[in-house]
Structures are given as C-alpha cells and as structure tokens.
Amino acid sequence: MPTPRTPAASDEDHRAQMEALQTEMHAKMRAAKEKRGLLIVHTGDGKGKTTAAFGMLTRMLATGKKCAVIQFIKSGADPLEKILQRPTLTWHRVGGGFTWDTQDRAADIASCREGWDLALRYFADPDCAFVLLDELNIVLAYDYLPKDEILTALRAKQEMQHIVITGRGALPELIELADLVTEMREIKHPFKAGIKAQRGIDF
Ligand code: ATP
Ligand code: MG
C-alpha cells in the first residue's frame, strides 16, 4: 500500500491525494501482468527472516500445492513442522546445530551437501511449487558449499517454482539474482536486554 507523501491539510486534499494514489496503483497493477516463480531472499540481522518464510509457506500450503522445506544448520524442530504437517509438505532438517557448537567443519560440510542434494531434487520436481532453504545464506557465508554451484542452480530454476532463502549476510550475487529481497533490520532485540529466547516467539 502506498502512503501519502505529506499529511493532507483538508478533507478535500485528502480526497485528491487518495485519487492520485488510486490512479497510480491501478496503473502499476495493469503494468504488472506477468506471473512467475520468484527467487526470494530474507536477510539482515533483525528477527523475522525464518518466521516470515514460514508465513509464506503456510499461504502456499493453503493453495494445495506441493512444498518443501530444507533447514540447514538446525538441530531442533520448529513447532510449525508438526502443525503444518500434511501430504503436500516435506520437511528436512540437516546439520547438527550451529557451527560454534559442533566445531566439526567436515561434518557441517557433509550435512550441507546432503541438504543441497535434496534441494536439487525439489528444484527438478515440476509439481513442487515452493522450496524453502532456511539459513542457506549462513551456509554460503561459511563457504560450506561452493557459491558458484549454488548460484548456477538458482539461475536455472524452474520458471513457476518459488524458492525462498533465509539467513544473515546474503551474498551480493544472490541479492542481484533474486526477485524479492527483504532485509530485517534490528532496531531492538530482547536478547540485548538479557531476555532469553522464548517458546512461541523464537521456537
Ligand atoms: P526467527 O526464526 O525468529 O524468524 P531469524 O530467522 O530472523 O529469526 P536467525 O538468525 O535465524 O533469525 O536466528 C534465530 C534465533 O535468533 C531466534 O531465536 C531469534 O529470536 C534470534 N535472533 C534473531 N535476530 C536476533 C538478534 N538481532 N539478536 C539476538 N537474537 C536474534
Ligand atoms: Mg532463521
């Protein structure tokens, strides 16, 4: 939704502003006709990257289309994995937690490879409408998978499939390639005030 650039001085001004916005929105909607699968990136240091991706996943499940989730570097299950369970959803968790916990680079690389091989399978499935690669940005930032290989596969993605990638520190090349990029920016996070992660909010 566009918002007025300046507050209206009167009801008449308000009406004129709204009419101008309506004309602008209708023109944009007429121009935007094409539908195709999107490459979507959620990055930044603020909270909400994975949560927003799960929200989109939920919408896509409501269409009845097939969806897949691959969570990289995650050990614990998100409660949504159970709640969203249905025949059209497959959910994989690869990796044994954050790298500073595992301290085993070779094992981390192996589990990322396992996750990526799964991703390639879903990329090739014409019935799969939505693939969520949670924390793939972290995988790339740690150089656990070769970025050229990942970018090449993403460049060749099926036209109608949506792919969502989350995680801090998205590569500039990925941002360039993507259709939709959102940066979650931290303004405040309770962790900084010593408040622990909480069930229902963080996991
Ligand atoms: P969420 O899964 O809650 O949407 P996220 O995907 O944006 O978060 P991650 O980098 O994956 O963020 O980190 C996940 C965990 O770290 C969550 O428990 C989240 O609350 C916490 N977290 C996210 N951003 C911050 C931050 N800026 N400072 C401290 N903790 C954070
Ligand atoms: Mg996340």
Side-chain angles (χ1 to χ4, degrees):
M1 273 291 283
T3 47
R5 286 161 194 95
T6 50
S10 66
D11 283 356
E12 209 167 299
D13 276 2
H14 178 75
R15 215 168 12 251
Q17 272 183 354
M18 286 302 146
E19 269 172 25
L21 284 175
Q22 188 185 45
T23 309
E24 187 186 323
M25 283 306 285
H26 285 177
K28 279 186 184 155
M29 275 147 64
R30 271 197 304 277
K33 278 195 289 264
E34 193 193 357
K35 266 194 193 157
R36 64 179 173 84
L38 301 174
L39 179 59
I40 302 171
V41 177
H42 292 173
T43 193
D45 62 2
K47 173 174 162 61
K49 299 173 287 293
T50 299
T51 311
F54 286 164
M56 250 187 263
L57 166 70
T58 310
R59 283 186 173 152
M60 192 54 73
L61 287 172
T63 70
K65 290 182 182 150
K66 256 174 81 175
C67 299
V69 176
I70 301 164
Q71 290 198 280
F72 291 90
I73 330 182
K74 278 284 159 62
S75 49
D78 192 285
L80 282 175
E81 182 177 338
K82 207 165 173 186
I83 287 195
L84 297 177
Q85 211 175 31
R86 68 204 55 227
T88 49
L89 175 62
T90 41
W91 196 305
H92 307 267
R93 258 175 291 126
V94 295
F98 282 103
T99 187
W100 51 86
D101 287 331
T102 61
Q103 314 225 331
D104 185 346
R105 189 173 163 85
D108 286 343
I109 291 174
S111 55
C112 290
R113 174 56 61 188
E114 184 195 332
W116 183 246
D117 287 345
L118 287 164
L120 291 175
R121 252 180 35 205
Y122 293 111
F123 291 173
D125 178 355
D127 295 327
C128 183
F130 183 98
V131 186
L132 168 52
L133 304 170
D134 188 44
E135 309 300 351
L136 186 68
N137 286 334
I138 303 291
V139 172
L140 290 167
Y142 278 93
D143 222 7
Y144 283 166
L145 292 172
K147 72 171 179 186
D148 289 341
E149 186 186 338
I150 305 310
L151 292 167
T152 301
L154 294 173
R155 261 186 216 108
K157 86 169 195 58
Q158 288 186 60
E159 192 172 353
M160 294 313 289
Q161 188 174 63
H162 301 287
I163 300 176
V164 185
I165 296 172
T166 76
R168 293 169 185 222
L171 293 177
E173 297 96 317
L174 178 61
I175 290 174
E176 171 72 30
L177 183 64
D179 302 290
L180 169 55
V181 182
T182 301
E183 182 178 16
M184 277 40 177
R185 183 165 64 88
E186 184 195 312
I187 293 178
K188 271 183 143 183
H189 194 288
F191 190 69
K192 302 272 178 346
I195 301 167
K196 281 189 185 166
Q198 303 186 55
R199 203 173 155 217
I201 300 293
D202 299 294
F203 59 90

